Amino acid sequence: MNHYATYFDRGYLAQGVALWRSLARHDPEAELTVLALDDETAAVLLAIGGGRLRVLPLAELLAADAALSAAQAERTRPEFVFALTPCLVRHLFAARPEVGRWIYLDADLFFFAAPAPIWAELTGGSVLVVPHRYPAWQDDAARYGRFNVGVVGGRNDAGAREGVDWWRARCLESTALAGDGTRFGDQKYLDAWPHRFADVVESMHPGVNVAPWNWAR
């Protein structure tokens, strides 16, 4: 199986279901774990069913991660949500050690072709990050980060776990949407990965994470 993870609430339910259907269409080996951020989302996903769509209730993650639970009580909703990504990946590494590789996906992605190129790039390292690929005339990397969190891959090995643990610690310190060159949600922290950790691969495939900010390239 190819293991993927994402999270969303009922506000992104339509996008999340579209993500799953596009992924299932183009990757017959896909298994998607969804961190459901409310009961309505969990109920809809359970009704869709199928052995390849797994539902992880938010309460289960909070029970396993006391620091994340404490952050929920102290933060605005957007800042809490931005803390979820590394916490989810870290939890899955620990809860499912038999799974060798994971790809995190933002819920508003859609697949038009097989995701095999992503897995092929991840084969070359412990962690895969995807550059924003801003055009030169609108390069916002200094504010929002060189890399986009929409697609992040990781092997369940010591290198990836170290990177995810560091990322989680930074996000538990702050996920402020400052855009000041030091932090922006969960995203700006990824700038440090290539020089802080070994075996970090930067995706070179132009079809990965095509978006309004980079389609011109």
Side-chain angles (χ1 to χ4, degrees):
M1 302 295 292
N2 293 326
H3 295 271
Y4 305 84
T6 188
Y7 60 82
F8 50 87
D9 61 12
R10 60 182 177 270
Y12 270 75
L13 184 55
Q15 292 95 322
V17 171
L19 165 64
W20 167 236
R21 289 179 173 168
S22 71
L23 182 59
R25 180 182 305 124
H26 291 292
D27 185 354
E29 300 300 319
E31 179 188 270
L32 179 65
T33 297
V34 179
L35 174 64
L37 303 188
D38 54 48
D39 293 340
E40 181 179 347
T41 298
V44 169
L45 296 176
L46 289 170
I48 291 174
R52 297 192 293 138
L53 180 60
R54 299 169 65 100
V55 180
L56 173 66
L58 177 59
E60 184 175 329
L61 177 61
L62 293 176
D65 193 331
L68 178 64
S69 183
Q72 182 186 33
E74 299 169 352
R75 299 191 183 184
T76 65
R77 175 73 171 179
E79 290 187 357
F80 168 69
V81 169
F82 276 118
L84 290 173
T85 315
C87 294
L88 171 59
V89 175
R90 177 177 177 268
H91 175 75
L92 292 173
F93 279 169
R96 301 191 65 190
E98 75 281 3
V99 176
R101 304 185 303 174
W102 288 91
I103 291 176
Y104 166 80
L105 304 169
D106 272 355
D108 56 359
L109 293 173
F110 192 89
F111 284 88
F112 295 90
I118 305 175
W119 292 109
E121 290 189 306
L122 178 56
T123 299
S126 288
V127 175
L128 176 73
V129 289
V130 181
H132 271 109
R133 302 191 184 96
Y134 292 115
W137 47 266
Q138 190 180 357
D139 190 344
D140 288 328
R143 294 183 61 196
Y144 304 124
R146 284 185 57 211
F147 306 108
N148 184 266
V149 178
V151 179
V152 180
R155 292 179 175 276
N156 195 349
D157 62 16
R161 289 193 295 271
E162 181 184 10
V164 169
D165 284 348
W166 179 89
W167 186 22
R168 170 180 171 273
R170 301 292 76 73
C171 287
L172 291 175
E173 289 173 355
S174 174
T175 46
L177 299 172
D180 60 359
T182 64
R183 62 197 187 284
F184 185 78
D186 58 351
Q187 186 165 269
K188 181 68 173 167
Y189 297 122
L190 296 187
D191 283 9
W193 274 12
H195 62 262
R196 181 177 284 272
F197 303 107
D199 299 324
V200 176
V201 176
E202 296 186 27
S203 173
M204 300 300 293
H205 196 292
V208 179
N209 215 17
V210 177
W213 57 79
N214 63 23
W215 67 267
R217 291 188 61 188

